[in-house]
Amino acid sequence: MHRLLEHCPELKRTHDLVRRFASVLDNRDATSLPSWLDEVSHSGLPPLAGIAGALREDQHAVAQGIATTYNSGVNEGRITDVKLQKRLMAGRAGVPLLRHRVVLIAHLRRRYADRPTTAPR
C-alpha cells in the first residue's frame, strides 16, 4: 500500500483525506468538519469535491450525525431489504410474497448477526 501511495500522488491525497474523515467519525468530533470540507473542496479531486459540496449543503445535520450516538442504521437496512426484494421480483408478485421474503430476510439477519465477521484480506 505504501509503495502504491508513493507512486500516485492523487491516490495518496485521496487516502489522506478519507482517513482524516474516518478519524472524525471514529472520534465523534465534528469540530474539524468545516476545515476538512474546505480542504477537500480545494484538493483538485472532483469526485471528493462533489461529496464535500453535498455535505456542505446540510452541514448542520452532518455534524449532528457525527456527534450523536443515535442512528437509523437498522431502519435503513430494512428499507434496503424491501427495495432489493421489490426490484428482484420486478412486479411479478404481490404484497404477500414481498412481506414473506422480507420477514425471511429479517429472520436470517437476526440468526447470523451474532456470528463474528472477519475483515477481508
Side-chain angles (χ1 to χ4, degrees):
M1 175 96 159
H2 180 68
R3 286 189 341 204
L4 179 66
L5 294 175
E6 282 180 359
H7 290 293
C8 183
E10 188 176 83
L11 184 61
K12 180 172 179 20
R13 203 166 41 248
T14 303
H15 180 264
D16 292 342
L17 288 168
V18 170
R19 292 306 315 150
R20 282 188 39 220
F21 187 69
S23 173
V24 167
L25 294 176
D26 287 343
N27 296 329
R28 294 199 175 278
D29 182 18
T31 56
S32 62
L33 182 64
S35 63
W36 183 85
L37 289 172
D38 290 339
E39 189 173 341
V40 171
S41 296
H42 298 81
S43 68
L45 302 167
L48 287 183
I51 291 171
L55 291 177
R56 195 180 300 277
E57 286 179 12
D58 204 4
Q59 188 173 340
H60 178 70
V62 173
Q64 287 292 5
I66 291 170
T68 61
T69 58
Y70 301 105
N71 67 61
S72 61
V74 174
N75 293 335
E76 293 295 331
R78 295 297 191 271
I79 291 168
T80 300
D81 290 343
V82 171
K83 288 181 180 180
L84 175 65
Q85 290 305 315
K86 184 178 171 188
R87 287 186 192 112
L88 286 173
M89 294 189 299
R92 294 179 294 224
V95 173
L97 181 58
L98 176 63
R99 181 181 186 284
H100 175 74
R101 290 181 71 154
V102 169
V103 168
L104 179 62
I105 289 171
H107 172 73
L108 290 173
R109 281 188 186 271
R110 280 192 299 270
R111 181 175 177 187
Y112 293 106
D114 297 335
R115 294 186 181 186
T117 57
T118 57
R121 293 182 183 224

